[in-house]
Amino acid sequence: MAVFEVFPTVFFLTLLSLRTYQSEVLAERLPLTPVSLKVSTNSAHQSLHLQWTVQNLPYHQELKMVFQIQISRIETSNVIWVGNYSTTVKWNQVLHWSWESELPLECATHFVRIKSTVVDARFPEPNFWSNWSSWVEVNVQDSLGQDILFVFPKDKLVEEGANVTICYVSRNIQNNVSCYWEGKQIYGEQLDPHVSVFHLSSVPFIRKTGADMYCEVSQGNVSKGIKGIVLFVSKVLEEPKDFSCETQDFKTLHCTWDPGVDTALGWSKQPSQSYTLFESFSGENKLCTHKNWCNWQITQDSQETYNFTLIAENYLRKRSVNILFNLTHRVYPMNPFSVDFENVNATNAKMTWKVHSMKKDFTYLCQIELYGEGKMMQYNVSIKVNGEYYLSELEPATEYMAQVRCADASHFWKWSEWSGQNFTTLEAAPSEAPDVWRNVNSEPGSHIVTLFWKPLSKLHANGKILFYNVVVENLDKPSRSELHSIPASAKSTKLTLNRHSYQVWVTANNSVGASPASIIVISADPENQEVEEERIAGTEGGFSLSWKPQPGDVVGYVVDWCDHPKYTLCDLQWKNVGPNATSTVISTDTFRPGVRYNFRIYGLSTKRIACLLAKKTGYSQELAPSDNPHVLVDKLTSHSFTLSWKYYSTESQPGFIQGYHVYLKSKARQCHPRFEKAVLSDGSECCKYKIDNPEEKALIVDNLKPKSFYEFFVTPFTSAGEGPNATFTKVTTPDEHSTMLIYILLPMFFCVLLIMIVCYLKSQWIKETCYPDIPDPYKSSILSLIKFKEKPHLTIMNVSDCIPDAIEVVSKPEGTKLQFRKSLTETELTRPNYVYLLPTEKNYSGPGPFICFENLTYNQAASDSGSCGHVPVPVNNPPSQLGLMISPENVQKALEKNYMNSLGEISAGETSLNYVSQLASPMSGDKDSLPTNPVEPPHCSEYKRQMAVPLCLVSPPPTENSSLSSITLLNPGEHYR
């Protein structure tokens, strides 16, 4: 017992002695200096790895200590980093710590030292630091090799937006080094003669295969080599978005998220980020094989609450997101199936579908959407296993699309996907009468009626329209009616009706039946065409039309127009207006600028008879005229001319013609009265006259100068402007005297022309009258009257066969050979001279009858002078005793002799020869026995020989003392008997 009492006492004393020893040790401040400091390098991460131990640490003791680490660069005095590292130190423990350098370790020498202090609460204050350990030098350049240039870091991986330091090490300081980042030269700072450093701030992501950095070494202009690195810049890892988990069957949780940008890099430098799903209540985790979804198997235990953490990780960082939910609140049902329609008719249908079974007492909320005719209807219904719904108030012959989706009715989380199908209701008879209008053209004894109708809308057609029925009833003869069946593709039909009143029914028909009838009445009276047309102005919104209200019962108004008035098929349109309206707006996309539209407004009586009330015409937008008139210049005088363009049509223009502008140019550059100065678009000046009346299509331009040059140009204008530019037409006013000449010469010309036409038509008569044919002497009948005794074979008269009565000599009174009285007139001078040969026989009692014939064909001078013969003038004292003292043969010889002797005395052109024929004697017999009482001979048709007697052979007329044997010369126009 005493032993047991002694043992606790000994144990207590021993423990007290140990505590006293520790206190003494600490009180003596034993040095806990870090020892065995070793530094290694990691070039891939550009980091220094330190390891050391603590000396004099008590056996089996754990102390909280703080180690201060100091790092210098290039030399120990250049401290670049100081930091503390806190940890719990055990006896004989080797400590580790790493430091990452922003400057590649190969670019400079680094120095490291460390010291420590105890911060354990079991030791009293004050704490003190141990001594510094010795500097440990880290020099990586010694192991680089013998190349002339090195660039660091090698294949470094950084995030986009990070700051990066790059350096190069050159072995020869005489070399010239140029560095380039992505092809662009960069400049750095020099650490020492061999090392230069480049600082890149906020480096961007360029490509997955990294960004290029290279340096070129050269001496002078000679390149010595190129060294470079690839800097891998990764996209910043993003936190997963829209992280959610849900179930469709209470067996599997399906988790999804938005991964954001992919941080994978080329050359396997960094793969895509990985995702891990961790559930905290069960402590389980799962590495996901897909980057945006992952499935988690639900256990059969009673766990309903889940707490998931999704972790995204790559080589540079981690990101995580967390959700907490109840399983029953995250139900996403599977799609409904077996959608079908039953009992479908024109207006109703029954829709059925099925859903997947869930846990017991699970209720679905289903939503139905019905699409048709551009409308959507929505219905909701709750079901457990199978669903059905009655669709009503449907449109006949309409295709519908119905779809259904479902969700958890107790805890709504999300709708399922849609499941749907199309169906079509059956046809029904058309529900509305077609909209009908007509156009009536009156002809003698009949009406040409064109009926138009608009196709029924799908809503009112209730099916496919097969044809239209048109029934025409003669109201004057009600027992007679006609049925016309028109194909469904037609929109109009033409009827020829006589001058009676007719009622027309138009119905649309489909496979089920006919629509209500549209009724219109055609009156026997022609339409009122005397309604004055009114001009209106259109706007961007269309045409605003108004009219006066009509007295009496009016069931409505109709406005019609043509969408394409320039075409034969103008596409007639119409608009129905209520009976209380007096205005409307016609607006359509077919209206075009520059097109004239004509509107007619009708009133409909209770008897469905249309009466024309008003006509309107206008443009939705007026344009400038499209062409200029063709101008004619008329009544051109020396002081004026008239411009006219009466055939210019104003109806076909793209605007209402308000008038015309007449432009006039002249060399004088002075405007005439009524004209004003104007400047054309080309800057030239001219004179302008404005015509405000569009129907006035002529202008007299007066006050002009004779023999002057003018230019004119006529263009119409509308409210939008003038017509197109065109060239000026040139006109020159004539001389004022030339006008008078025209007035004189034109009548003369027409008179001459008329005479020539008459002469041409009467040419044969003129020839026979003025120029008869020359008789042939060989055919003369006078030969048969002469008895040839000596030469009976002669057929041509000789001079010896007849007694010449006269010789005609025609001479020009020029020269000195013949002298006439100065008192003679011009007519007397041109008269021919005649020489008469008188008979000298004793038994001759007087001159016998004779006729002198001038052959104008052989006497050109006589023909030109207009002489066609001569008339012998009797003398007061005729020499009846005179006669021819010589025979005809002697006369011929004398004439020929004198003629030959006088040839040398007659000048050329002074004497003309005239051929004279002596008529044969009417008495047949000897020439020596002339009758004493000759009778007047008839006109002979044939001649004896013709003689040419020159003027020089003529002797002066005989006197009482002259010899009767010579030839007697008579003055012109005289003869003796």
Side-chain angles (χ1 to χ4, degrees):
M1 187 69 181
V3 175
F4 288 103
E5 291 179 355
V6 172
F7 179 77
T9 303
V10 173
F11 177 76
F12 176 74
L13 292 175
T14 304
L15 183 59
L16 182 60
S17 299
L18 181 60
R19 178 65 56 86
T20 302
Y21 171 75
Q22 291 178 347
S23 299
E24 289 177 355
V25 170
L26 293 176
E28 294 177 358
R29 297 188 178 184
L30 296 175
L32 301 180
T33 304
V35 294
S36 303
L37 177 61
K38 296 180 181 179
V39 180
S40 59
T41 61
N42 186 342
S43 297
H45 295 87
Q46 294 296 317
S47 61
L48 297 177
H49 182 72
L50 283 67
Q51 67 178 24
W52 70 93
T53 59
V54 178
Q55 189 180 13
N56 297 328
L57 186 68
Y59 181 71
H60 296 304
Q61 290 293 316
E62 292 185 1
L63 296 178
K64 291 183 178 180
M65 298 184 67
V66 174
F67 299 92
Q68 188 175 81
I69 304 170
Q70 195 174 75
I71 300 175
S72 298
R73 182 174 293 160
I74 300 177
E75 54 186 21
T76 56
S77 60
N78 183 26
V79 177
I80 61 170
W81 189 89
V82 176
N84 294 332
Y85 169 63
S86 298
T87 185
T88 299
V89 183
K90 296 179 180 180
W91 178 77
N92 207 24
Q93 178 183 359
V94 178
L95 301 177
H96 298 271
W97 180 81
S98 295
W99 174 78
E100 185 174 351
S101 173
E102 63 177 11
L103 179 68
L105 299 178
E106 295 84 353
C107 298
T109 302
H110 291 78
F111 300 90
V112 180
R113 65 178 181 175
I114 188 172
K115 66 180 179 179
S116 63
T117 184
V118 178
V119 294
D120 200 308
R122 293 173 297 174
F123 298 98
E125 295 291 341
N127 295 327
F128 61 93
W129 288 96
S130 69
N131 296 327
W132 286 103
S133 66
S134 300
W135 287 102
V136 176
E137 181 180 355
V138 179
N139 189 352
V140 186
Q141 294 183 2
D142 295 340
S143 59
L144 293 181
Q146 300 301 319
D147 286 348
I148 60 174
L149 183 67
F150 301 91
V151 182
F152 299 102
K154 300 288 187 181
D155 301 333
K156 186 177 180 63
L157 175 64
V158 296
E159 268 189 342
E160 183 180 17
N163 298 327
V164 179
T165 302
I166 301 175
C167 72
Y168 70 81
V169 179
S170 177
R171 292 300 188 185
N172 188 350
I173 62 174
Q174 302 298 326
N175 292 336
N176 184 20
V177 181
S178 300
C179 295
Y180 301 87
W181 167 257
E182 284 295 314
K184 182 179 180 180
Q185 187 172 2
I186 57 176
Y187 303 92
E189 59 177 327
Q190 193 172 16
L191 287 183
D192 60 43
H194 298 276
V195 179
S196 290
V197 177
F198 304 90
H199 299 283
L200 302 180
S201 300
S202 300
V203 291
F205 173 83
I206 297 176
R207 65 185 71 90
K208 287 189 175 184
T209 54
D212 297 329
M213 164 78 181
Y214 66 92
C215 297
E216 181 180 9
V217 182
S218 62
Q219 287 185 351
N221 295 325
V222 180
S223 177
K224 295 296 185 178
I226 296 177
K227 294 290 183 178
I229 63 169
V230 176
L231 182 64
F232 290 92
V233 181
S234 168
K235 288 283 189 179
V236 178
L237 179 64
E238 298 178 357
E239 183 180 281
K241 302 179 183 66
D242 301 326
F243 180 41
S244 175
C245 296
E246 58 196 12
T247 182
Q248 289 186 312
D249 53 6
F250 288 96
K251 296 178 181 179
T252 303
L253 273 172
H254 182 69
C255 299
T256 58
W257 60 89
D258 179 9
V261 65
D262 189 0
T263 62
L265 295 176
W267 312 111
S268 301
K269 188 64 178 180
Q270 176 176 265
S272 298
Q273 61 267 33
S274 62
Y275 293 91
T276 303
L277 198 60
F278 173 73
E279 204 284 308
S280 61
F281 291 125
S282 63
E284 297 180 359
N285 59 19
K286 181 179 181 180
L287 180 63
C288 300
T289 56
H290 301 278
K291 66 177 182 179
N292 59 346
W293 64 272
C294 190
N295 287 335
W296 184 277
Q297 295 297 320
I298 299 175
T299 60
Q300 299 300 321
D301 56 16
S302 58
Q303 183 179 353
E304 291 186 354
T305 304
Y306 290 85
N307 185 10
F308 281 107
T309 300
L310 179 65
I311 303 170
E313 182 178 6
N314 64 6
Y315 288 169
L316 298 175
R317 68 170 65 228
K318 288 184 180 181
R319 299 277 191 176
S320 64
V321 64
N322 178 266
I323 57 170
L324 176 66
F325 62 91
N326 189 298
L327 182 62
T328 58
H329 296 177
R330 296 295 180 98
V331 178
Y332 171 49
M334 288 185 283
N335 304 341
F337 61 98
S338 298
V339 179
D340 199 5
F341 299 93
E342 302 174 358
N343 303 327
V344 178
N345 56 34
T347 57
N348 301 292
K350 178 182 177 182
M351 180 180 179
T352 62
W353 68 95
K354 296 180 180 180
V355 293
H356 296 272
S357 62
M358 300 287 280
K359 66 179 184 177
K360 187 179 180 180
D361 299 331
F362 188 86
T363 302
Y364 285 97
L365 173 65
C366 295
Q367 186 178 77
I368 300 170
E369 286 185 351
L370 182 65
Y371 294 88
E373 294 298 317
K375 298 184 296 183
M376 189 273 287
M377 294 165 284
Q378 193 176 82
Y379 313 96
N380 291 329
V381 60
S382 296
I383 63 172
K384 288 187 176 293
V385 180
N386 297 327
E388 64 180 29
Y389 191 84
Y390 289 92
L391 303 173
S392 60
E393 298 181 357
L394 304 178
E395 298 295 337
T398 302
E399 183 178 4
Y400 287 93
M401 193 279 288
Q403 58 183 8
V404 60
R405 62 181 180 178
C406 298
D408 186 358
S410 301
H411 305 282
F412 180 84
W413 163 246
K414 188 182 293 185
W415 288 109
S416 68
E417 296 297 326
W418 290 103
S419 295
Q421 192 172 340
N422 295 352
F423 72 99
T424 303
T425 55
L426 301 181
E427 289 189 359
S431 59
E432 188 172 305
D435 186 4
V436 178
W437 187 236
R438 90 291 179 274
N439 186 44
V440 180
N441 293 322
S442 298
E443 293 185 357
S446 64
H447 291 308
I448 306 299
V449 180
T450 305
L451 292 177
F452 299 90
W453 55 83
K454 297 178 181 178
L456 291 176
S457 66
K458 191 174 182 181
L459 178 64
H460 299 124
N462 294 338
K464 182 180 180 181
I465 300 299
L466 302 178
F467 59 90
Y468 294 90
N469 278 339
V470 178
V471 179
V472 182
E473 180 185 3
N474 191 330
L475 296 180
D476 298 334
K477 299 178 181 179
S479 61
R480 298 181 58 184
S481 62
E482 297 179 0
L483 173 63
H484 304 270
S485 183
I486 311 300
S489 59
K491 296 181 182 179
S492 64
T493 187
K494 185 174 289 187
L495 304 174
T496 301
L497 308 176
N498 54 27
R499 293 292 183 127
H500 293 283
S501 295
Y502 289 87
Q503 185 169 267
V504 182
W505 287 269
V506 180
T507 58
N509 297 263
N510 62 10
S511 62
V512 177
S515 69
S518 181
I519 302 174
I520 195 166
V521 175
I522 308 300
S523 175
D525 300 327
E527 289 188 354
N528 180 19
Q529 300 294 337
E530 297 180 358
V531 177
E532 184 177 355
E533 188 176 67
E534 179 186 352
R535 289 184 176 182
I536 57 175
T539 61
E540 293 182 358
F543 291 91
S544 179
L545 307 178
S546 62
W547 57 90
K548 295 180 180 179
Q550 295 302 303
D553 295 332
V554 177
V555 297
Y557 299 92
V558 177
V559 180
D560 70 1
W561 70 95
C562 286
D563 270 349
H564 307 287
K566 292 185 177 181
Y567 301 100
T568 304
L569 300 177
C570 70
D571 192 11
L572 184 68
Q573 301 294 321
W574 65 93
K575 180 180 181 181
N576 297 304
V577 186
N580 298 323
T582 57
S583 63
T584 187
V585 176
I586 306 298
S587 179
T588 175
D589 293 336
T590 60
F591 287 154
R592 295 291 180 266
V595 178
R596 179 181 290 190
Y597 295 95
N598 301 311
F599 300 90
R600 297 180 297 184
I601 303 172
Y602 293 85
L604 291 179
S605 66
T606 54
K607 296 182 180 181
R608 305 297 299 176
I609 299 177
C611 178
L612 181 61
L613 304 179
K615 292 182 179 179
K616 313 280 185 178
T617 183
Y619 298 84
S620 60
Q621 180 183 348
E622 288 193 58
L623 303 178
S626 58
D627 58 355
N628 295 320
H630 177 66
V631 182
L632 300 176
V633 180
D634 193 14
K635 299 179 182 179
L636 178 62
T637 67
S638 57
H639 296 283
S640 67
F641 57 82
T642 301
L643 304 177
S644 64
W645 54 95
K646 59 182 179 180
Y647 298 109
Y648 181 68
S649 174
T650 60
E651 299 295 325
S652 61
Q653 295 302 315
F656 291 119
I657 300 298
Q658 298 180 353
Y660 305 92
H661 286 158
V662 180
Y663 293 94
L664 186 67
K665 288 183 179 180
S666 64
K667 292 183 178 180
R669 295 187 178 181
Q670 292 182 353
C671 294
H672 298 75
R674 302 181 299 164
F675 283 80
E676 60 181 9
K677 284 192 175 181
V679 179
L680 300 178
S681 58
D682 59 357
S684 60
E685 294 184 356
C686 64
C687 300
K688 182 176 75 173
Y689 179 74
K690 182 178 181 182
I691 300 176
D692 292 324
N693 183 6
E695 300 303 324
E696 183 180 342
K697 300 180 180 180
L699 176 66
I700 298 176
V701 183
D702 51 10
N703 297 321
L704 305 179
K705 295 181 179 180
K707 209 172 182 179
S708 299
F709 177 77
Y710 294 93
E711 294 180 279
F712 68 87
F713 167 53
V714 179
T715 180
F717 64 90
T718 65
S719 61
E722 292 184 341
N725 293 330
T727 57
F728 279 74
T729 302
K730 301 175 181 180
V731 62
T732 302
T733 56
D735 189 2
E736 53 187 348
H737 300 294
S738 62
T739 306
M740 299 176 62
L741 292 176
I742 291 175
Y743 291 151
I744 297 173
L745 293 178
L746 282 179
M748 292 179 63
F749 171 77
F750 287 114
C751 291
V752 171
L753 181 62
L754 181 61
I755 293 172
M756 292 177 63
I757 294 174
V758 172
C759 292
Y760 176 76
L761 297 176
K762 300 293 183 178
S763 59
Q764 187 65 28
W765 177 82
I766 295 173
K767 179 179 179 182
E768 293 175 355
T769 303
C770 297
Y771 304 100
D773 293 336
I774 300 173
D776 189 353
Y778 287 95
K779 298 178 182 180
S780 177
S781 61
I782 196 64
L783 296 177
S784 63
L785 301 178
I786 302 175
K787 294 181 180 180
F788 298 96
K789 295 181 179 181
E790 297 178 357
K791 297 179 180 179
H793 62 278
L794 295 176
T795 59
I796 300 300
M797 292 194 316
N798 295 319
V799 176
S800 60
D801 295 333
C802 64
I803 301 173
D805 294 329
I807 296 175
E808 178 186 4
V809 178
V810 180
S811 63
K812 293 182 182 179
E814 297 176 0
T816 58
K817 298 298 181 179
L818 294 176
Q819 299 295 329
F820 295 92
R821 300 187 306 271
K822 295 182 178 179
S823 61
L824 294 177
T825 62
E826 182 180 357
T827 304
E828 293 172 339
L829 293 175
T830 59
R831 293 173 59 184
N833 298 323
Y834 297 91
V835 178
Y836 292 90
L837 302 179
L838 303 179
T840 59
E841 284 78 2
K842 295 179 180 181
N843 57 352
Y844 182 73
S845 61
F850 65 90
I851 295 175
C852 176
F853 175 78
E854 296 179 356
N855 191 342
L856 301 179
T857 305
Y858 302 136
N859 182 8
Q860 187 64 32
S863 175
D864 294 340
S865 65
S867 300
C868 60
H870 66 275
V871 179
V873 181
V875 183
N876 294 333
N877 296 317
S880 59
Q881 73 278 10
L882 298 178
L884 292 172
M885 300 302 296
I886 58 175
S887 63
E889 291 82 356
N890 296 330
V891 173
Q892 182 178 8
K893 293 177 181 179
L895 291 173
E896 292 175 355
K897 180 180 179 181
N898 294 333
Y899 171 72
M900 295 301 295
N901 294 332
S902 62
L903 286 176
E905 301 177 1
I906 298 175
S907 303
E910 292 181 355
T911 303
S912 298
L913 298 182
N914 197 22
Y915 290 86
V916 180
S917 293
Q918 173 65 49
L919 284 174
S921 175
M923 302 296 293
S924 61
D926 195 349
K927 61 187 176 189
D928 296 330
S929 59
L930 296 174
T932 56
N933 296 316
V935 296
E936 183 178 356
H939 294 284
C940 56
S941 59
E942 296 186 4
Y943 299 88
K944 286 188 177 183
R945 185 170 182 174
Q946 298 174 343
M947 294 181 295
V949 182
L951 185 60
C952 62
L953 298 180
V954 181
S955 60
T959 63
E960 294 181 357
N961 300 323
S962 62
S963 174
L964 294 176
S965 61
S966 63
I967 298 175
T968 303
L969 174 64
L970 299 181
N971 289 330
E974 298 179 347
H975 71 277
Y976 293 97
R977 294 183 179 178

